[in-house]
């Protein structure tokens, strides 16, 4: 049952979010009206869709029914039917949605092939979504494949990716996670529709969750959640909450999971997302069932059964009957257990029968269609044969008449022919003799000319061929030389750029080291010397009868001023005078401007991160410096993404590059990574590295909120503690 619900809410996201909003602009383009009457009809439809997109779905529903009653234009009727189909799909009223979708396809009589096929693609998507809800995955897959074919034919990108996303969901439900992941990641390439982006994030996260990779799953779900918040999409928020709750449930964190399920129910009920609310409730029922709270679970499942029957959701009905059967067995109510078991198998048989009956009907239609096509072809061939026979008969009559005329003419000319034939033969004989003599002379002359031409051509061809061959060899060598020089120049430039980047970072680190060395010398030479002198004078204080108290007091004041000055130099002015996020962003922009790296920097929430302890801010800044240094030196990356997220007062640092990656199993850590782990350990943090060859590297760092009590803060405040000790010593004197 756990696996079923995990799969089921995978399906929900596309069904409820890729409805009308993503295709509305295409829909307006699909129905372009030309004459005044049609322009008026077009305005009606434009106002109808605008009303729906503003969130006035009920008003749009009523207006669409009004248009269907008054309009006699097929285009307008098809548009209104399609909107009603989207409306009922969103409310999970499947039968009504399928009916209005078929009505829209029925009235799709646009002459333009491109416009007609665009509406077909929208209709196919609706049918696929409705059959997914029904649990008829074979039917859903068929309609998505048809939609992909139509959208590719007319280069409809949005519809192509919408159907691709739907097909990925079908593969996921069928257990083919490999093809599902491939298609979802293909959908991430389409940047024009944010709903497809965060829909793909959610479903990728759910697939990784099904494979027990919960950290990777939560990363994708959190990315989706950020986009949902930005788009203010309540549907998306509810589904992300269900996915995160399911992950918590799989990790046996049931109290936290129940909290998120209830949050999803609250959002779904407020927006009438019936199927999402049902899924969340059934998941809570499952938790109570596993906790053996049978009465509570039974109440939830019984309430859910009414909704599932009302909405016609077959898969949900099977899950509910199976759960009620388990509850009845646990309560020794075997009569009801038998009843629920029968219901369960009847629904299963119904799903199988619906799919098989549909296939049989389609095969019957295809057979009858092919038979009719053969009959039509036979009739067409017979008609063509008769027509050709008639044409041949007319042609034969014409030929007979023409033959008679030719015969008459031949008889008249025969007499004249015999009279002139003798004279012509004599003249022809004399002309033939002269022609033979001329042809013999021409043939001899042509032979000589051809021979001369061939010899001259060969004489010229040989040196030209040699010159061309030499030129080709030189040109080829020059091209090879140019390519090598360009490659060497490119490598030199890249080397110089990387050296400059490393010099910038090394200069920053060198400055920090020099400052530490200066502070160490100050502590040793100035403050240490003063304290040694004070100690000697205190040892001889009794013997000198308190005559050196004034000198000791002056030396204590001097030492206090030095400690105060040194403590101020330890706290960086950059973080004390400016906000942390702005300082870090400025630093990253400087690195990006001095190199070919494209650095993306995201923070959430920025205000909370800026208000963190300066101890944590300084360490995080140094950690990011170390990560950038390693990436520039080793990764050969062109893009870097850095995210800082403050969740429940815990800081998450996510560092991702698209470099060459490395094998984490065989990797030998250098000084840089050792320093990095030391800094994170000082903050009681954790480090997770995910990298593979040719895939890039992801580094995830978690720093708890109690890191302020770590050794690093003590080191920075050491100067202040020393000042307090001097004040205490001074007061004793």
């Amino acid at each position: 049952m756990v696996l079923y619900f995990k799969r089921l809410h995978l399906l929900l996201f596309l069904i409820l979010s890729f409805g009308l909003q993503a295709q509305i602009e295409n829909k307006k383009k699909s129905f372009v009206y030309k004459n005044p009457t049609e322009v008026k009809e077009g305005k009606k439809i434009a106002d109808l869709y605008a009303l729906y997109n503003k969130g006035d779905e009920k008003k749009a529903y009523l207006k669409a029914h009004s248009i269907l009653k008054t309009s006699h234009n097929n285009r307008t009727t098809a548009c209104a039917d399609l909107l009603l189909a989207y409306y009922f799909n969103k409310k999970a009223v499947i039968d009504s949605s399928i009916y209005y979708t078929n009505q829209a396809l029925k009235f799709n009589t646009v002459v333009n092939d491109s416009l007609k096929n665009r509406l077909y693609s929208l209709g196919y998507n609706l049918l696929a979504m409705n059959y997914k809800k029904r649990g008829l995955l074979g039917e859903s897959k068929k309609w998505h494949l048809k939609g992909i074919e139509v959208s590719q034919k007319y280069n409809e990108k949005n519809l192509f990716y919408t159907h691709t996303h739907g097909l990925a969901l079908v593969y996921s439900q069928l257990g083919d996670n490999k093809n599902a992941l491939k298609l979802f990641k293909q959908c991430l390439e389409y940047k024009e529709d944010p709903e497809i982006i965060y829909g793909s994030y959610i479903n990728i996260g759910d697939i990784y969750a099904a494979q027990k990779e919960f950290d990777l799953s939560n990363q994708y779900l959190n990315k989706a959640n950020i986009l949902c918040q930005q788009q203010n999409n309540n549907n998306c928020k509810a589904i992300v909450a269900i996915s995160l709750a399911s992950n918590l449930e799989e990790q046996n964190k049931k109290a936290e999971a129940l909290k998120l399920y209830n949050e999803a129910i609250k959002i779904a009920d407020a927006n009438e997302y019936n199927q999402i609310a049902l899924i969340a409730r059934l998941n809570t029922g499952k938790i109570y069932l596993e906790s053996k709270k049978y009465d509570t679970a039974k109440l939830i499942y019984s309430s859910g059964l009414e909704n599932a029957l009302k909405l016609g959701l077959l898969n949900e009905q099977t899950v509910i009957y199976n759960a009620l059967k388990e509850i009845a067995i646990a309560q020794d109510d075997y009569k009801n257990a038998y009843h629920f078991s029968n219901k369960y198998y009847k629904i299963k048989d119904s799903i199988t029968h619906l799919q098989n009956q549909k296939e049989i009907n389609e095969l019957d239609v295809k057979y009858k269609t092919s038979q009719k096509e053969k009959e039509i072809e036979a009739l067409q061939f017979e008609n063509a044969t008769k027509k050709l026979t008639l044409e041949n008969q007319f042609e034969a009559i014409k030929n007979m008449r023409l033959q008679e005329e030719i015969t008459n003419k031949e008889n008249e000319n025969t007499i004249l022919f015999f009279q002139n034939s003798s004279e012509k033969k004599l003249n022809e004989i004399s002309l033939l003799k002269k022609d033979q003599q001329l042809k013999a002379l021409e043939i001899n002359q042509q032979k000589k000319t051809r021979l001369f031409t061939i010899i001259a051509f060969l004489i010229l061809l040989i040196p030209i061929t040699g010159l061309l061959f030499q030129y080709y060899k030189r040109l080829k060598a020059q091209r090879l030389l140019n390519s090598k020089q360009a490659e060497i120049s490119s490598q030199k430039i890249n080397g110089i750029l990387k050296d400059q980047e490393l010099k910038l970072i090394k200069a920053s680190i060198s400055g920090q080291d020099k400052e530490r060395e200066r502070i160490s010398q100050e502590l040793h030479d100035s403050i240490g010397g003063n304290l040694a002198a004070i100690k000697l004078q205190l040892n001889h204080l009794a013997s000198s009868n308190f005559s050196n108290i004034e000198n000791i007091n002056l030396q204590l004041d001097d030492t206090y001023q030095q400690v105060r000055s040194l403590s101020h130099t330890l706290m960086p002015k950059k973080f004390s005078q400016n906000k942390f996020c702005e300082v870090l962003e400025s630093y990253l922009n400087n690195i990006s401007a001095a190199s070919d790296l494209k650095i993306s920097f995201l923070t959430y929430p920025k205000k909370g991160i800026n208000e963190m302890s300066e101890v944590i801010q300084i360490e995080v800044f140094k950690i990011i410096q170390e990560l950038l240094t390693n990436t520039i030196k080793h990764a050969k990356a062109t893009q870097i993404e850095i995210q800082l997220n403050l969740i429940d007062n815990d800081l998450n640092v996510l560092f991702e590059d698209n470099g060459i990656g490395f094998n984490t199993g065989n990797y030998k850590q250098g000084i840089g990574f050792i320093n990095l782990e030391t800094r994170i350990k000082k903050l009681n943090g954790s480090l997770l590295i995910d990298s593979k060859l040719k895939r890039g590297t992801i580094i995830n760092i978690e720093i708890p909120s109690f890191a302020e009590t770590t050794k690093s803060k003590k080191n920075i405040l050491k100067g202040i503690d020393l000042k307090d000790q001097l004040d205490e010593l001074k007061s004793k004197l």
Side-chain angles (χ1 to χ4, degrees):
M1 193 190 302
V2 176
L3 180 61
Y4 166 73
F5 281 111
K6 193 68 179 173
R7 296 291 184 195
L8 186 57
H9 74 262
L10 267 170
L11 152 70
L12 275 174
F13 189 75
L14 183 70
I15 292 175
L16 296 176
S17 64
F18 296 158
L20 195 58
Q21 295 257 348
Q23 288 96 8
I24 184 61
E25 291 303 322
N26 285 336
K27 192 77 197 70
K28 289 179 181 177
K29 295 175 185 176
S30 298
F31 295 91
V32 180
Y33 297 87
K34 297 181 178 178
N35 61 53
T37 304
E38 291 185 337
V39 168
K40 185 178 179 182
E41 294 288 320
K43 189 175 184 305
K44 284 184 184 178
I45 293 301
D47 293 342
L48 176 66
Y49 280 94
L51 194 65
Y52 187 92
N53 283 333
K54 287 178 183 176
D56 295 333
E57 297 174 357
K58 193 68 178 177
K59 290 182 181 178
Y61 165 81
L62 295 173
K63 187 172 181 179
H65 273 295
S66 175
I67 289 172
L68 288 178
K69 291 178 182 178
T70 58
S71 176
H72 299 289
N73 185 293
N74 284 353
R75 299 187 191 183
T76 306
T77 302
C79 288
D81 282 326
L82 196 67
L83 184 135
L84 288 170
Y86 275 113
Y87 174 84
F88 284 114
N89 174 272
K90 195 170 185 179
K91 303 299 180 186
V93 185
I94 299 171
D95 290 332
S96 297
S97 181
I98 290 174
Y99 169 77
Y100 282 108
T101 302
N102 289 327
Q103 286 294 104
L105 296 176
K106 175 182 175 182
F107 286 100
N108 181 23
T109 58
V110 183
V111 177
N112 186 303
D113 286 341
S114 175
L115 303 183
K116 181 182 292 186
N117 281 281
R118 189 177 295 131
L119 189 139
Y120 276 136
S121 184
L122 292 170
Y124 295 160
N125 185 46
L126 271 168
L127 289 173
M129 290 192 293
N130 284 312
Y131 283 120
K132 276 196 198 82
K133 287 186 177 182
R134 276 271 173 86
L136 304 176
L137 299 180
E139 280 296 297
S140 178
K141 181 179 178 182
K142 179 186 77 175
W143 290 113
H144 277 312
L145 289 172
K146 282 188 175 183
I148 288 172
E149 181 183 356
V150 171
S151 57
Q152 279 182 322
K153 184 176 181 181
Y154 293 95
N155 197 25
E156 293 288 342
K157 274 192 175 182
N158 185 275
L159 292 172
F160 170 76
Y161 281 104
T162 298
H163 281 290
T164 301
H165 197 283
L167 185 60
L169 284 169
V170 174
Y171 280 132
S172 178
Q173 284 199 290
L174 291 171
D176 189 356
N177 287 337
K178 182 179 179 182
N179 280 323
L181 277 175
K182 180 181 177 182
L183 292 178
F184 282 133
K185 289 182 179 179
Q186 182 182 349
C187 289
L188 292 177
E189 299 171 1
Y190 183 62
K191 306 297 183 184
E192 296 179 18
D193 192 343
E195 292 188 355
I196 291 179
I197 299 287
Y198 53 70
S200 299
Y201 279 143
I202 288 174
N203 289 292
I204 291 170
D206 286 336
I207 290 173
Y208 282 128
Q211 297 173 350
K212 307 298 182 184
E213 299 182 41
F214 296 113
D215 291 336
L216 196 55
S217 172
N218 288 335
Q219 287 180 21
Y220 280 100
L221 291 173
N222 286 328
K223 286 183 179 181
N225 196 30
I226 292 170
L227 287 174
C228 294
Q229 298 290 342
Q230 293 172 353
Q231 297 290 323
N232 195 25
N233 189 312
N234 291 322
N235 182 35
C236 173
K237 293 176 187 176
I239 292 170
V240 170
I242 291 175
S243 295
L244 291 171
S246 182
N247 286 353
L248 291 169
E249 185 182 348
E250 288 290 316
Q251 297 175 64
N252 205 26
K253 299 177 181 179
K254 294 185 179 179
E256 298 174 39
L258 277 173
K259 183 178 177 182
L260 281 176
Y261 281 136
N262 289 326
E263 182 181 333
I265 292 169
K266 184 178 179 182
I267 296 171
D269 286 342
N271 294 277
E272 295 185 13
Y273 299 150
N274 298 324
Q275 193 171 13
I276 293 179
L278 178 60
I279 296 304
R281 284 190 171 94
L282 296 184
N283 275 312
T284 60
K286 179 174 63 62
I287 291 176
Y288 287 121
L289 175 59
E290 291 173 351
S291 302
K292 297 185 179 179
K293 297 180 180 179
Y294 298 121
D295 292 335
T296 305
K298 184 177 180 180
L299 183 63
I300 291 171
Y301 281 119
S302 299
S303 174
L305 180 60
E306 293 180 10
N307 293 330
L309 291 170
K310 181 179 178 181
L311 298 173
L313 303 175
L314 300 180
N315 276 335
E316 284 82 345
Q317 292 176 34
T318 60
V319 172
I320 293 170
Y321 282 130
N322 192 49
L324 290 172
K325 181 194 73 174
E326 291 180 10
I327 293 171
I329 292 171
Q331 294 180 336
D332 296 329
D333 185 2
Y334 296 106
K335 180 179 179 181
N336 278 328
Y338 176 74
H339 170 71
F340 291 133
S341 179
N342 283 339
K343 288 285 187 181
Y344 171 82
Y345 286 112
K346 282 182 181 179
I347 297 295
K348 280 285 187 182
D349 292 341
S350 176
I351 292 172
T352 305
H353 175 71
L354 285 173
Q355 289 179 332
N356 292 338
Q357 188 63 40
K358 189 74 176 177
E359 292 174 1
I360 291 168
N361 291 338
E362 285 181 357
L363 290 172
D364 184 48
V365 170
K366 288 180 180 178
Y367 172 74
K368 290 179 179 178
T369 303
S370 64
Q371 289 295 106
K372 288 181 179 179
E373 287 175 353
K374 288 179 181 178
E375 291 174 3
I376 291 168
E377 288 177 0
L379 289 173
Q380 288 175 345
F381 178 75
E382 185 178 346
N383 290 334
T385 304
K386 289 179 180 179
K387 186 177 180 181
L388 184 61
T389 303
L390 290 173
E391 289 177 355
N392 289 337
Q393 288 176 355
F394 285 122
E395 191 68 28
I397 293 168
K398 287 181 181 179
N399 289 336
M400 287 175 64
R401 290 176 181 174
L402 184 61
Q403 188 66 35
E404 289 177 358
E405 292 177 1
I406 292 171
T407 304
N408 293 332
K409 289 289 183 182
E410 285 179 350
N411 292 334
E412 292 176 0
N413 294 328
T414 301
I415 297 170
L416 294 173
F417 174 74
F418 284 118
Q419 289 176 354
N420 296 323
S421 61
S422 59
E423 294 178 0
K424 285 182 179 180
K425 285 181 180 179
L426 293 173
N427 292 330
E428 286 174 358
I429 291 169
S430 62
L431 288 172
L432 285 171
K433 288 180 179 180
K434 290 179 180 179
D435 286 340
Q436 287 176 355
Q437 292 174 357
L438 290 172
K439 284 181 180 179
L441 291 171
E442 287 177 2
I443 290 169
N444 291 330
Q445 188 65 31
Q446 287 176 358
K447 286 181 179 179
K448 291 179 181 179
T449 304
R450 287 175 184 172
L451 182 61
F452 177 76
T453 304
I454 291 170
I455 293 170
F457 179 74
L458 290 173
I459 292 170
L460 293 172
L461 182 62
I462 293 170
I464 290 171
T465 304
L467 290 172
L468 288 173
F469 182 70
Q470 289 295 326
Y471 176 74
Y472 171 75
K473 287 176 66 177
R474 289 184 181 178
L475 186 62
K476 186 176 180 181
Q478 187 64 37
R479 284 180 181 172
L480 183 61
L481 181 61
N482 290 340
S483 65
K484 290 293 183 183
Q485 288 177 344
E487 184 178 351
I488 292 168
S489 300
S490 175
Q491 290 176 353
K492 286 182 178 179
I493 292 168
N494 289 335
I496 292 169
L497 289 174
K498 288 189 177 180
D499 288 342
Q500 289 177 347
E501 293 168 13
L502 290 173
K503 284 178 182 178
L504 285 172
I505 296 170
K506 286 178 180 178
S508 175
I509 296 170
S510 175
Q512 294 174 2
D513 293 339
K514 288 180 180 179
E515 183 64 15
R516 292 192 184 97
E517 185 179 352
R518 183 188 69 79
I519 292 168
S520 174
Q521 290 175 352
E522 286 288 335
L523 288 170
H524 182 272
D525 296 341
S526 300
I527 298 172
N530 285 351
L531 291 175
I534 291 167
K535 182 179 180 182
L536 288 173
Q537 293 183 51
L538 285 173
N539 290 335
H540 295 85
L541 187 62
S543 61
S544 60
N545 295 322
F546 300 95
S547 60
N548 292 328
I549 290 177
E550 188 64 28
N551 290 334
I552 294 171
N553 193 33
L554 290 173
Q555 286 181 339
L556 285 172
D557 287 337
D558 183 45
T559 305
Y560 168 78
Q561 290 299 326
Q562 291 182 26
V563 169
R564 186 173 183 275
S565 175
L566 187 60
S567 67
H568 281 291
T569 60
L570 281 171
M571 300 300 289
K573 292 183 180 179
K574 184 180 284 186
F575 291 155
S576 63
Q577 297 176 1
N578 299 285
K579 293 182 179 180
F580 170 70
C581 291
E582 281 72 7
V583 173
L584 182 54
E585 186 173 8
S586 175
Y587 171 75
L588 295 174
N589 289 337
N590 291 336
I591 294 294
S592 180
S595 66
D596 290 333
L597 281 173
K598 292 183 180 178
I599 302 176
S600 172
F601 178 56
L602 299 173
T603 58
Y604 180 82
K606 185 179 287 187
K607 182 179 178 182
I609 294 171
N610 284 332
E611 292 174 354
M612 288 190 310
S613 166
E614 283 192 293
V615 177
I616 298 177
Q617 290 179 352
I618 292 168
E619 291 300 321
V620 169
F621 187 86
K622 292 175 181 177
I623 287 167
I624 292 174
Q625 277 185 323
E626 188 63 44
L627 291 173
L628 281 170
T629 303
N630 286 339
T631 300
I632 293 170
K633 287 172 66 177
H634 306 296
K636 298 182 180 179
T638 58
Q639 293 181 355
I640 294 175
E641 182 178 341
I642 301 172
Q643 292 187 21
L644 298 181
N645 296 305
L646 189 62
I647 302 171
D648 295 335
N649 292 325
D650 291 345
L651 182 63
N652 171 251
V653 181
L654 184 64
F655 185 95
E656 183 175 354
D657 66 55
N658 66 342
I660 59 175
F662 60 92
N663 189 340
T664 55
N666 300 329
Y667 179 68
K668 185 176 180 181
Q669 290 187 344
I671 295 174
F673 262 98
I674 294 172
N675 292 339
L676 186 66
E677 289 181 340
T678 303
R679 291 187 187 280
I680 294 170
K681 189 174 181 182
K682 277 200 304 184
L683 297 175
N684 294 330
S686 63
L687 172 66
L688 177 64
I689 301 174
D690 180 15
S691 181
K692 290 183 180 178
L693 292 174
K694 299 182 180 179
R695 196 203 68 180
T697 301
I698 300 174
I699 297 176
N700 189 18
I701 300 170
E702 296 283 347
I703 299 173
S705 59
F706 53 80
E708 290 187 13
T709 62
T710 59
K711 183 178 178 181
S712 58
K713 183 176 179 181
K714 293 179 181 178
N715 289 337
I716 288 178
L717 298 178
K718 188 181 288 184
I720 298 171
D721 294 339
L722 182 59
K723 173 179 74 68
D724 294 339
Q725 293 174 11
L726 289 173
D727 287 340
E728 184 181 354
L729 180 61
K730 186 176 178 181
S731 65
K732 289 180 180 179
L733 291 174

